[in-house]
Amino acid sequence: MNAGAKEHKQSSNAVYTRLKKICTHVQRNIPLKKRNSFRIQSRAEFFAAPSEPETIAALVSFCRSENIACNILGGGTNVLLSDEHVSGLVIHTGKLDRITVDGNRIFCGAGVPMGRLVKTAYRHKLSGLAFASGLPGSVGGAMYMNARCYGSEMADVVTAVKCLTPELTLTVLPRDRMDLAYKQTTFQRGYIILAVTFTLAAGDRNTIHREMKKNMRDRIRRQQFRYPSAGSIFLNDYSLGEPSGKIIDDLGLCGTRCGKAMVAPYHGNFIINTGNARARDVDELIGMVQRVVKEKRNIELHPEVQYMGDWSISTARDMK
């Protein structure tokens, strides 16, 4: 072991010891392949899944004070992890998993899977969330991006979000302070979502179930679950009058490959992992599609997928 590697190991050991004092469940060198929907082979240098907001705040505060990278990971369905390694600490929201129902309101931890939320609403005959049937990922991630499908979005049903501000103050934001727009929210400016309150309408269970089944069947018909992917890669610009997927498809880019990453033959706005694709493959394919669309149509496509890990600014596309 050379001097540089030895020094890094000693520094890493010291950081690990201090993190363990904040959260005893901190782990090292944790595989993330099963925690991201692209199934990218990556590992977290340090990994924690706290169940209390105070612990999350303490971990983030420590990382900031020591200039250590810190990332929040939910369901991993809208992220592109860097190959092999994510430096610093990954905080997973999986243990923020409490869900309660009070009348027509559902209080839901950020780590609750969207499927569990949708089924809870259905069981309590609450209407308004069937649009999210089959939507992968966690409640926190869906709220962060104001997830949208089948003509509805999270903004239609959310009333409050418990979160940590960029200054790590615990607060509850009402809907009118969330700056909700297409795939945009206040939370993208350094907030950490902890829990979400939904206000729904009383509904007929059979009617809700029919809508859930219809949407799920449509996702299956579109082969959205056939290969690992992050769902839609590019934002839509509704002023163009056509979605990004159609623009990509019309230019004959479906089926284009870079390594094991491919523009899905059945959906222009999906990039799929056909077998052990690298993050670099996906990123290069994103750039290739952007260049062709710009050259042929003079349209700039902007990724909605979030880059996480050890990316250089010059490599990651349009990082937010």
Side-chain angles (χ1 to χ4, degrees):
M1 183 182 296
N2 61 39
K6 184 176 181 180
E7 183 179 348
H8 174 76
K9 183 177 180 179
Q10 290 173 341
S11 174
S12 179
N13 288 340
V15 169
Y16 178 61
T17 299
R18 295 178 67 184
L19 285 170
K20 289 282 283 186
K21 290 180 179 179
I22 299 171
C23 178
T24 58
H25 301 297
V26 172
Q27 299 171 278
R28 301 177 73 171
N29 197 30
I30 296 301
L32 297 175
K33 181 177 180 179
K34 293 184 179 180
R35 296 186 186 275
N36 76 97
S37 61
F38 257 130
R39 295 297 184 257
I40 298 296
Q41 298 264 16
S42 189
R43 305 179 80 87
E45 183 178 9
F46 306 110
F47 180 90
S51 59
E52 299 299 332
E54 295 79 9
T55 306
I56 295 174
L59 288 169
V60 175
S61 179
F62 170 77
C63 289
R64 289 180 181 176
S65 68
E66 299 298 319
N67 198 28
I68 297 168
C70 183
N71 291 285
I72 307 298
L73 181 65
T77 55
N78 199 40
V79 298
L80 181 59
L81 301 180
S82 57
D83 287 312
E84 298 179 2
H85 195 68
V86 176
S87 296
L89 175 65
V90 172
I91 297 177
H92 190 254
T93 62
K95 290 188 178 178
L96 301 176
D97 58 355
R98 298 170 189 160
I99 184 166
T100 58
V101 180
D102 182 12
N104 67 335
R105 292 188 299 173
I106 298 180
F107 305 90
C108 192
V112 171
M114 283 299 297
R116 182 181 166 203
L117 170 64
V118 172
K119 290 176 182 176
T120 298
Y122 160 70
R123 285 198 302 268
H124 287 82
K125 295 189 287 188
L126 295 175
S127 176
L129 279 166
F131 76 92
S133 178
L135 186 70
S138 66
V139 168
M143 191 66 251
Y144 180 88
M145 288 299 296
N146 188 23
R148 176 183 178 85
C149 48
Y150 301 113
S152 298
E153 59 187 8
M154 296 291 278
D156 298 332
V157 287
V158 64
T159 49
V161 171
K162 183 180 180 181
C163 58
L164 291 169
T165 69
E167 297 74 35
L168 301 181
T169 301
L170 186 63
T171 190
V172 176
L173 285 187
R175 186 185 184 283
D176 60 6
R177 290 182 54 199
M178 297 180 196
D179 293 340
L180 298 165
Y182 169 67
K183 298 295 177 72
Q184 292 183 11
T185 68
T186 293
F187 310 109
Q188 296 168 15
R189 298 194 286 271
Y191 288 74
I192 299 173
I193 297 172
L194 303 171
V196 182
T197 300
F198 299 94
T199 300
L200 306 172
D204 174 72
R205 185 175 288 154
N206 291 331
T207 301
I208 297 169
H209 192 241
R210 280 196 297 272
E211 185 179 354
M212 289 169 59
K213 286 182 65 176
K214 176 174 68 74
N215 293 340
M216 181 60 83
R217 281 198 300 266
D218 184 67
R219 290 181 185 277
I220 293 171
R221 180 182 64 82
R222 294 171 182 266
Q223 304 183 62
Q224 292 186 10
F225 309 117
R226 185 175 176 184
Y227 292 96
S229 78
S232 294
I233 288 290
F234 299 104
L235 295 166
N236 290 313
D237 183 346
Y238 289 104
S239 68
L240 298 174
E242 54 186 338
S244 297
K246 185 176 187 303
I247 294 170
I248 294 166
D249 193 1
D250 288 349
L251 290 174
L253 292 171
C254 287
T256 302
R257 288 177 175 267
C258 183
K260 293 293 185 178
M262 179 172 67
V263 179
Y266 45 83
H267 196 311
N269 204 11
F270 273 39
I271 289 179
I272 58 177
N273 181 351
T274 64
N276 294 321
R278 301 175 307 150
R280 188 75 59 181
D281 297 335
V282 177
D283 178 65
E284 289 180 5
L285 189 53
I286 289 172
M288 186 187 307
V289 171
Q290 286 177 308
R291 288 192 296 275
V292 173
V293 172
K294 178 65 176 176
E295 290 168 5
K296 302 293 186 180
R297 293 286 306 272
N298 196 30
I299 293 171
E300 293 188 6
L301 293 181
H302 300 284
E304 68 167 88
V305 66
Q306 308 287 300
Y307 283 76
M308 183 181 295
D310 301 351
W311 297 91
S312 68
I313 296 299
S314 61
T315 300
R317 314 288 170 183
D318 219 11
M319 287 184 69
K320 297 181 181 179

